[in-house]
């Protein structure tokens, strides 16, 4: 729905640009067009622009014309707001009321260059702009890409170029002079102000002033904005701003700052005393200040949460209820078998014996209070083969090793040697019997890790000859002549970046640079469907833990939810400001998490399509996500070589694991959630004590209200072991059902 609505608005906004020139007689008055346009969409922006507009008499005439137009249309509230903002006396409208036709048009005629006609043409222009832009406010900020010209025109209200440095230095001096407790909070304003002031100078063709401004103040910005500043420095002319996506995002999404009420009052008082309108306008128009009551946050608390493209997540965004509990496991009787009977029970139906309650079964029988209703989203029915698989799973679980700080898992590393095709993605099946690799030469390769070879189903003619009633019919349909350890799947026309097995091991998903996601059958080793929806490379895809649904994310900045039997996506999750680089399903299949190059993580509700959590704190694109088995926590890894831990229920960051020296490409919790394994491009696998990381948390310690997080710097205590491969970056990790850790990567000679 959002997309449709966005489309509508888009069309409207383009229309208003086209109506401009026809009314203004082709005069050269871009600045004024921009001003009128930018004032109509939102009241906050109008306040900013009018202040600077109510200077010279021509501008005041323009303003009065607008006010009268508003009054004529009975928009009394808007009249009051505008009048107060522009500082006009109450009786100003009454005075002009009688003779508006005479003096109004006369004065306006004096400013022909400005309005391209008399007040009536100005009014008609305001009308056209108001009528066309009116629908826009219904749209949430940054929901859809608006037209470039509309976005950039907001920069046309400008101050005196040489004074920009003075304004900024003045603010800097003030912030450096306030008490320490406020300084850290107010310093957050520097970066967004710096960017917007620089862009404003560039947009208005003050190239040398922009350059001087950039050189003077870019050194003051936080180190984690380095990459953004590098892109910014390359934008030195107005033309450069046209096609730049990063910049458009920065312009359209308000930069969110979380500041305590006391600090905010200080800043506001200072700017209003100094009459520093330029900076105040930018703050009102381009920043969203999330004010909280209570103690100001410390530098370390702010640094932990900042670093994303659009500032922090608003606290409101993390207030929605999330049902993070697990779904009830289906009731399956677990037979008590001797070892030797196990083999025949795999194929035939298991003999019914006294059901044995194991720790796995009994734990999930009670409905978790935080769990979603079983029927909240439609999940596929369990087939007989799934039930057999569950029984196998429970048997394996009884032999599972309980891991902990004293008992660490063994690690089995699968190294892809001579992978000259370029290994780009790896996945293991849940029962660890198959491993698949996605390659840069656009192939997908599937290996059997067990002695059991991979076989295709026989041809239709041969299948007719089989006795359908025999016990081993599932064995007979397989063609022995095709048995091999490796199968290669051809179909993509670009590198394969994401790969995922279905829980029942019948299907494999792959996503590629060619913009498609393909579903492969592991019975026939052929492609069944190509899902086309993304227009650009698809960086990641993953099956739901219950099968049937899958998620994909790509360069077009959206994640899409699909069902295997629909060729159109069921949901489109849009909100990230840059590529969606990784996707993960919550263990209960009701939520998905997406990580992005905009350095944020979002959690989406599949039922409603809403974003229910926004996590900020990483300083680089996010490349790995993992939910804890109990569904309460999320771990994320990024190019900043940190692993961050999040509490999904409270919507807060609760831990930071430092130790890796390069991008963290894979994360996985052990089957019981005691240990978190992380694999990185620095060729190491590190094991962390997850139980301790989560247990050290006292939830009263931080109040979710202010988002104050006291992160203990205890990475060294939590690190249980670091294991280095010879020269193989770790791109995938997987815990077997018995808690053996499998790692995989391509050897990098």
């Amino acid at each position: 729905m959002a997309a449709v609505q966005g489309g509508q608005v888009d069309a409207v906004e383009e229309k208003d640009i086209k109506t401009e020139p026809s009314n203004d007689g082709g005069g050269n008055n871009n600045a004024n067009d921009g001003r009128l346009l930018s004032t109509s969409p939102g009241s906050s922006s109008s306040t900013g622009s009018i202040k600077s507009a109510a200077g010279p008499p021509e501008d005041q005439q323009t303003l009065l014309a607008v006010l009268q137009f508003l009054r004529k249309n009975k928009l009394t509230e808007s009249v009051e707001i505008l009048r107060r903002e522009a500082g006009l006396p109450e009786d100003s409208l009454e005075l002009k009321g009688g003779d508006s036709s005479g003096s109004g048009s006369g004065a306006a005629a004096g400013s022909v260059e400005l309005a391209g006609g008399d007040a009536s043409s100005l009014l008609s222009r305001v009308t056209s702009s108001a009528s066309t832009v009116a629908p826009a406010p219904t749209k949430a900020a940054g929901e859809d890409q608006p037209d470039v010209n509309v976005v950039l025109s907001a920069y046309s209200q400008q101050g005196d170029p040489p004074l920009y440095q003075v304004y900024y230095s003045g603010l800097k001096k003030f912030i450096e002079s306030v008490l320490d407790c406020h300084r850290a909070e107010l310093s957050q304003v520097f970066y967004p102000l710096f960017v917007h002031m620089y862009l404003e100078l560039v947009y208005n063709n003050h190239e040398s002033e922009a350059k001087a401004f950039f050189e003077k103040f870019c050194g003051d910005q936080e180190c984690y904005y380095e990459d953004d500043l590098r892109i910014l420095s390359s934008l030195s002319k107005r033309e450069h701003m046209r096609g730049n996506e990063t910049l458009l995002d920065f312009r359209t999404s308000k930069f969110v700052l979380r500041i305590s009420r006391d600090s905010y009052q200080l800043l506001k008082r200072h700017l209003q005393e100094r009459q520093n309108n330029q900076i105040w306008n930018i703050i009102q128009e381009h920043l969203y200040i999330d004010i909280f009551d209570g103690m100001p946050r410390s530098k370390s608390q702010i640094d932990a949460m900042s670093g994303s493209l659009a500032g922090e997540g608003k606290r409101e965004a993390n207030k929605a209820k999330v049902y993070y509990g697990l779904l009830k496991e289906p009731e399956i009787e677990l037979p008590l078998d001797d070892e030797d009977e196990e083999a025949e029970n795999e194929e035939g139906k298991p003999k019914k014996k006294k059901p044995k309650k194991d720790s796995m079964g009994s734990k999930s029988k009670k409905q978790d209070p935080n769990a979603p209703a079983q029927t909240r989203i439609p999940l596929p029915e369990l087939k007989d083969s799934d039930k057999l698989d569950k029984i196998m799973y429970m048997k394996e679980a009884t032999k599972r090793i309980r891991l902990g700080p004293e008992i660490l898992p063994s690690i089995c590393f699968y190294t892809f040697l001579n992978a000259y095709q370029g290994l780009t993605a790896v996945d293991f099946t849940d029962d660890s019997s198959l491993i698949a690799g996605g390659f840069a030469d656009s192939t997908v390769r599937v290996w059997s890790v067990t002695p059991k070879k991979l076989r295709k189903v026989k041809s239709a003619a041969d299948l007719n000859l089989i006795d359908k009633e025999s016990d081993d019919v599932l064995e007979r349909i397989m063609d022995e002549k095709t048995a091999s350890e490796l199968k290669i799947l051809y179909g993509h026309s670009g590198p394969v970046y994401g790969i995922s097995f279905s829980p029942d091991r019948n299907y494999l998903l792959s996503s590629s640079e060619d913009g498609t996601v393909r579903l492969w059958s592991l019975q026939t080793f052929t492609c069944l469907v190509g899902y086309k929806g993304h227009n650009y490379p698809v960086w990641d895809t993953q099956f739901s833990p219950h099968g049937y649904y899958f998620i994909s994310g790509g360069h077009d900045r959206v994640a899409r939810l699909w069902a295997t039997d629909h060729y159109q996506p069921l949901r489109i999750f849009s909100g990230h400001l840059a590529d969606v680089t990784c996707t993960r399903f919550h263990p209960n299949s009701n939520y998905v998490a997406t990580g992005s190059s905009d350095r944020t993580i979002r959690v989406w509700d599949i039922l409603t399509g809403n974003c229910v959590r926004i996590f900020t704190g990483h300083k680089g694109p996010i490349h790995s996500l993992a939910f804890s088995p109990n569904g309460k926590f999320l771990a994320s890894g990024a190019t900043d070589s940190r692993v961050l831990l999040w509490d999904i229920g409270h919507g807060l960051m609760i831990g930071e694991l430092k130790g890796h020296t390069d991008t963290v490409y894979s994360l996985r919790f052990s089957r019981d959630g005691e240990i978190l394994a992380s694999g990185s491009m620095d060729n190491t696998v590190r094991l962390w004590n997850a139980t301790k990381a989560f247990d050290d948390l006292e939830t009263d310690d931080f109040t979710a209200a202010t988002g104050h997080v006291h992160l203990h710097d205890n990475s060294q205590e939590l690190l249980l072991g670091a294991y280095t491969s010879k020269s193989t970056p770790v791109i995938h990790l997987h815990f077997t059902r018995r808690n053996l850790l499998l790692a995989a990567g391509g050897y990098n000679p």
Side-chain angles (χ1 to χ4, degrees), residues 23 146 339 472 483 514 523 680 746:
N23 294 336
E339 284 294 331
D472 59 349
D514 61 19
Q523 306 292 330
S680 159

Side-chain angles (χ1 to χ4, degrees), residues 276-296:
N276 200 334
N277 291 346
Q278 201 57 36
I279 285 187
W280 188 237
N281 291 349
I282 291 183
I283 287 181
Q284 286 195 311
E285 195 167 329
H286 299 305
L287 309 192
Y288 175 95
I289 296 189
D290 194 359
I291 302 173
F292 63 85
D293 295 301
M295 288 285 294

Side-chain angles (χ1 to χ4, degrees), residues 413-416 419 423-426 660 662-666 678-685 723-733 743-749:
F413 202 110
Y414 287 89
T415 305
F416 288 75
L423 180 68
T424 42
V426 177
H660 284 293
D662 204 339
T663 304
V664 179
Y665 243 105
S666 48
S678 60
S680 159
M681 298 303 278
D682 63 10
N683 306 342
T684 63
V685 174
Y723 306 92
T724 312
S725 65
K726 190 170 166 193
S727 179
T728 309
V730 186
I731 65 169
H732 189 72
L733 293 168
Y747 180 64
N748 196 0

Side-chain angles (χ1 to χ4, degrees), residues 56-165:
E58 308 96 307
D59 285 10
Q60 287 207 351
Q61 294 298 341
T62 314
L63 190 63
L64 288 171
V66 173
L67 285 170
Q68 276 168 7
F69 163 72
L70 289 174
R71 173 172 278 193
K72 199 169 80 189
N73 285 0
K74 311 246 185 325
L75 297 168
T76 43
E77 278 184 34
S78 313
V79 174
E80 279 305 289
I81 294 170
L82 272 178
R83 190 184 55 65
R84 277 204 305 277
E85 280 295 333
L88 294 172
E90 283 195 28
D91 51 356
S92 56
L93 275 177
E94 274 62 35
L95 287 175
K96 303 277 182 267
D99 60 359
S100 64
S101 56
S103 74
S105 60
S111 62
V112 172
E113 317 81 338
L114 184 104
D118 61 350
S120 63
S121 90
L122 177 86
L123 284 183
S124 69
R125 213 151 116 197
V126 174
T127 349
S128 78
S129 138
S131 62
T132 48
V133 181
T138 57
K139 185 178 82 166
E143 205 169 76
D144 205 36
Q145 288 307 308
D147 193 287
V148 188
N149 300 335
V150 176
V151 169
L152 294 179
S153 65
Y155 278 136
S156 57
Q157 34 121 352
Q158 46 167 334
D160 190 12
L163 287 179
Y164 275 48
Q165 292 202 23

Side-chain angles (χ1 to χ4, degrees), residues 20 52 59 230 296 303 346 398 460:
E20 286 309 311
S52 50
D59 285 10
R230 199 175 310 124
D303 278 350
E346 250 178 82
T398 56

Side-chain angles (χ1 to χ4, degrees), residues 565-579:
D565 57 2
H566 287 59
Y567 65 92
Q568 295 282 343
L570 308 181
R571 293 277 182 279
I572 295 180
F573 303 118
S574 122
H576 281 295
L577 300 179
D579 301 35

Side-chain angles (χ1 to χ4, degrees), residues 1 56 99 124 141 150 170 187 196 233 253 321 326 375 379 391 400 439 550 565 572 633 652 727 732 735:
M1 187 57 214
D99 60 359
S124 69
V150 176
S187 306
H196 284 298
S233 64
S253 55
K321 169 107 178 97
L326 303 183
T375 54
L379 292 171
I391 290 171
R400 177 181 302 161
F439 291 86
F550 63 94
D565 57 2
I572 295 180
F633 304 107
L652 290 170
S727 179
H732 189 72
F735 275 95

